[in-house]
Amino acid sequence: MISVKKISKTFDKTIAVKQLSFNVAEGETLILLGTSGCGKTTTLKMLNHLITPDEGSVFVNGKDNKLVNPEELRLGIGYVLQNHGLFPHYTIAQNMAIVPQLLKWEKEKIRKRTDELIEKLHLPTDIKNKFPYQLSGGQQQRVGLARALAANPPILLMDEPFGALDPITRNKIKSEFLTLDELQNKTIVMVTHDVQEAFELGDQICLMDEGEILQIGTPKELLEKPKSEKVKNFLKDQQLQLSLKTLSLLEIWPQIESIGKPPVQEVLDANEHHLWSVFEKLANQKHILLKLKKEEKTVTSTSLMWALEKYKTLNDGTN
Amino acid sequence: MEQINSFFQFISQESDKLLNQTLQHIGLTFISLLIAILVALPLGIFISRKIKLAGPILGVAGILQTIPSIALLGVMIPILGIGVKPAIVALFLYALLPIIRNTYTGITNIDAQVLEAAKAMGMSNSQVLTKVELPLAFPVIMAGIRTATVINVGVATLAAYIAAGGLGEFIFGGIALNNTNMILAGAIPAALLAIIFDFLLSRLQKVNFRNIKTYFLILPFLLVVLSSFYFLPTAIEGKMLAGFTPEFMGRQDGDLGLRKVYGLKIRTVVISDAVMYRAAYEKKLDVISGYSTDGRLKAFDLITLEDDKHIFPPYYCAPIVNEDALKNHPELEGILNQLSGFINDSTMTDLNYKVDYLHQTPEEVAKDFLNEKGLYKNPRYGNGATIRIGSKIFGEQYILAQMYKILILGNSDLQVETKTGLGGTKICFDALTNHQIDFYPEYTGTGLLVILPQKRQLFAKIMGDKEQVYSYVQKEFNKNYHIKWLQPIGFNNTYALMMRKQQAQNLVINSITDLKKHLENNK
């Protein structure tokens, strides 16, 4: 879907991006991760030709960006900004209608699409005639996402989309983001400096430093097979949390022991959850019943910790 | 209360003129504003794209802003002549800076994220400009247009100096005539215009973003309509154009008398006397009002038309002396009267020309003239009492004061001190009655109309006759102030209509009646 070949960009003698290459497959989410100034935003903006690379080429749908009219290119790529970038002089409905209007959709079609997105993104229905300044930060960011999705583009670029939100709102929107059906089949490239976020949302993570790729791979690969000391150091502080996030219940299933059959509030399918999300849920309740096919196991946080320890010792040994 | 009443009386009397001037004023303001917007808005947008050029362009516009308006108008005249063109150009130049600057500031201050979003969504540059940048910069741009409008309403009063009309005609006429009602009749509407337009534009500035498109359409339309006001007042058509000073326009012994007594109907513009003579010389004007002994008559090759129905009162010049000084120095009267009969209008014009245009000193001119007439005697350098001679603050009076100085020093042992450049009539006269000076040259008309208590009916009767006016002021001054009018010097520095010598000769126009007939026959 997106193919980047040896792109470089220099600003006033500062090298922002150096000979960068990567591919994003259709429907995949690639996270550009790194500290500020590592060139990740520059890279993102070269994908929709907001910035023209000095060298190298970007191919979108197999076509070289240099040969495509930039406006046409951008009409097919959704773009979400850190500070929403909503037009302050447009109502919410008008903001959401910008791209459809540029594409000359009919009024009725635009109206239907707007209503649909408002519902899907859990926005209040009376929001349509409000102006951006009348919205909360979380609502603004949701509208920003809705605007990018309005014309249903196959590709979505996101520049720190949750960066300006408070932690509670951020987590809420992130979890909505994960379940939003609109995003399921999209090719997404997202920039973040938040390691947790990258591991939660990314199929592939491209870890960058000083305009170069340190490592590109799945979260698990980065965690378990770091290519260099730098990669290891970058992830070190959050090693435990990250490993919990990358570890599925499936992998650890043999080590989990049931504690009996006390009454439980919640039943979870082991196929669909990471270890981390179960730990999060156990913060509020004592017991959870886990199911895998016909097998059922009731767990507490202590019993899960035991299972993790066992899993680790087993794997360390094989390493 | 009386003041207020007389003000409203003036307004109702002059309502036609007031309406015309107000419409012209609005027209001038908005024609120039419209042009300024058409130039400044694109320029502001341009420098918001090429930030490097912003400094130089804003700098130039800023310098234009600092040029004093009178000077700017003066510079325009040789290039654009007089009338509406230079006025609009000057107003246009003043309106540039606020609009360019605010357009630039408004656009460059837009949130970078909003612009990035606009571009990233696939808007072209022109779409970004019209859908995002201009609407968002609109309040700031409007603030600039507001500032420009208020500046233009103010500066447009000066248009009256160069025959472009507007409320300045009343304001400057009122100042020249010391007529408070007339000043207010110009100043109050001008102030109201500024306040009203500022208010209306401030409402426009706060418009709801939803309706912004409508306003972008309404605004140009409104500007064009307001601009067209300038052309509403219909002037009397004709081939000849007269230019009169604001003062002349408002005087009975001026434009009013010309209409009433002569029935003169000529296309008229109001103009400052600083540029009037040159404008006549350069054929921008055909008839002007002026003073009959002005040196510029000679400098610009103009002639005066005979006032055959005597609407201009006689302004014969004569020394007026405090009687105490005459009592103490009886020889003074004879000495001062020596000059009598030597200077007629054209002689005085010639002398004024030498001072005003050839830049000779009044001393030189006075000495040369007296030598030529055989009146010059070497000073005796006596050590008698000191005589103090006063003069008003213009060339003619300086020359006369110098002549009297020479005559006194040559014919007596008295010493002389000159106190020249005493502001106006009032200052000179007060100095004379308070014994701060002993005499100064005064004009009979001024004595009659400015100093003495006004008796309209009597004055109207004697006004046409120079002998009667002279004997009346002589008698009254003697009685009321103990001041003696000595013999008139001979010239009459009064209002006069003037034309280019060449044109007047070609058309055989010698008097105002001739002019009137010519105008009627050549409609």
Side-chain angles (χ1 to χ4, degrees), chain B residues 260-437:
Chain B
K260 211 157 48 186
V261 179
Y262 284 95
L264 187 72
K265 284 187 184 125
I266 185 165
R267 205 149 56 91
T268 307
V269 295
V270 178
I271 190 165
S272 147
D273 79 339
V275 296
M276 184 173 66
Y277 293 87
R278 175 171 287 279
Y281 174 70
E282 286 174 352
K283 300 184 181 173
K284 308 286 188 211
L285 294 172
D286 301 301
V287 180
I288 61 171
S289 64
Y291 296 100
S292 52
T293 60
D294 196 304
R296 287 175 287 196
L297 264 170
K298 190 176 160 89
F300 293 114
D301 208 20
L302 307 171
I303 58 154
T304 60
L305 301 183
E306 192 199 333
D307 174 24
D308 48 339
K309 290 188 180 169
H310 306 290
I311 60 159
F312 304 131
Y315 281 77
Y316 283 91
C317 187
I320 60 173
V321 196
N322 196 302
E323 291 200 337
D324 292 336
L326 284 177
K327 216 178 284 168
N328 295 336
H329 315 289
E331 69 272 33
L332 200 56
E333 180 165 354
I335 295 170
L336 298 184
N337 279 339
Q338 281 186 13
L339 203 57
S340 174
F342 276 101
I343 306 177
N344 63 17
D345 291 3
S346 60
T347 317
M348 194 66 238
T349 303
D350 192 41
L351 296 175
N352 282 333
Y353 172 73
K354 283 178 179 162
V355 171
D356 292 339
Y357 281 83
L358 305 180
H359 301 295
Q360 299 178 2
T361 62
E363 287 90 338
E364 274 177 275
V365 173
K367 193 175 168 187
D368 290 351
F369 177 79
L370 292 177
N371 255 328
E372 189 189 316
K373 300 290 174 190
L375 292 172
Y376 183 79
K377 288 181 185 164
N378 284 324
R380 293 202 211 158
Y381 301 113
N383 44 19
T386 300
I387 297 294
R388 292 152 304 172
I389 311 175
S391 92
K392 298 183 196 177
I393 193 161
F394 50 91
E396 180 169 298
Q397 291 253 331
Y398 292 152
I399 300 170
L400 292 174
Q402 289 304 327
M403 287 184 183
Y404 286 127
K405 180 178 177 181
I406 293 168
L407 287 174
I408 293 169
L409 292 177
N411 291 294
S412 73
D413 286 328
L414 296 168
Q415 301 184 54
V416 171
E417 186 188 340
T418 52
K419 294 200 169 179
T420 52
L422 299 172
T425 301
K426 182 95 174 95
I427 297 170
C428 273
F429 183 72
D430 287 348
L432 187 62
T433 51
N434 294 328
H435 295 90
Q436 285 158 334
I437 56 174

Side-chain angles (χ1 to χ4, degrees), chain B residues 47-197:
Chain B
I47 58 172
S48 73
R49 302 282 185 273
K50 312 251 178 230
I51 302 275
K52 273 184 192 161
L53 290 176
I57 286 181
L58 288 173
V60 170
I63 289 167
L64 286 175
Q65 197 80 23
T66 61
I67 301 175
S69 18
I70 291 275
L72 192 57
L73 290 171
V75 171
M76 296 284 161
I77 288 167
I79 309 163
L80 295 167
I82 57 160
V84 70
K85 272 186 276 174
I88 286 177
V89 171
L91 288 173
F92 155 76
L93 292 176
Y94 281 119
L96 279 179
L97 178 68
I99 305 178
I100 300 178
R101 191 180 48 203
N102 281 41
T103 306
Y104 171 74
T105 313
I107 290 178
T108 49
N109 280 355
I110 295 173
D111 183 0
Q113 287 249 337
V114 171
L115 292 178
E116 191 186 313
K119 249 181 117 181
M121 276 187 292
M123 284 188 166
S124 64
N125 285 337
S126 65
Q127 282 168 332
V128 173
L129 179 69
T130 55
K131 290 181 187 235
V132 184
E133 287 175 305
L134 287 181
L136 285 178
F138 181 77
V140 185
I141 296 175
M142 275 310 294
I145 293 178
R146 245 174 97 186
T147 311
T149 310
V150 175
I151 290 175
N152 272 11
V153 171
V155 180
T157 53
L158 295 171
Y161 271 148
I162 51 165
L167 289 163
E169 289 185 4
F170 270 159
I171 297 176
F172 297 116
I175 292 171
L177 294 168
N178 197 15
N179 181 339
T180 315
N181 288 334
M182 198 187 253
I183 298 175
L184 292 177
I188 292 175
L192 285 178
L193 283 185
I195 293 169
I196 291 169
F197 288 134

Side-chain angles (χ1 to χ4, degrees), chain A residues 197-251:
Chain A
E197 196 168 286
F199 276 71
E200 281 168 45
L201 303 176
D203 297 323
Q204 297 272 333
I205 293 174
C206 176
L207 184 59
M208 290 179 67
D209 187 42
E210 292 179 354
E212 288 177 301
I213 297 180
L214 291 181
Q215 187 170 355
I216 184 164
T218 61
K220 221 175 158 65
E221 279 169 358
L222 254 68
L223 204 59
E224 291 172 2
K225 291 168 194 157
K227 269 189 182 167
S228 63
E229 274 308 298
K230 265 191 180 172
V231 179
K232 214 184 225 172
N233 285 337
F234 196 86
L235 304 174
K236 189 176 66 185
D237 291 343
Q238 287 145 311
Q239 187 83 33
L240 173 65
Q241 214 181 4
L242 292 178
S243 55
L244 292 179
K245 278 182 183 169
T246 52
L247 202 57
S248 73
L249 283 175
L250 224 54
E251 289 171 272

Side-chain angles (χ1 to χ4, degrees), chain A residues 45 74-75 79 83 89 131, chain B residues 113 116 119-120 131 210:
Chain A
K45 287 182 183 174
R74 291 173 199 145
L75 283 171
Y79 193 75
N83 287 309
H89 59 305
F131 284 93
Chain B
Q113 287 249 337
E116 191 186 313
K119 249 181 117 181
K131 290 181 187 235
R210 260 173 255 213

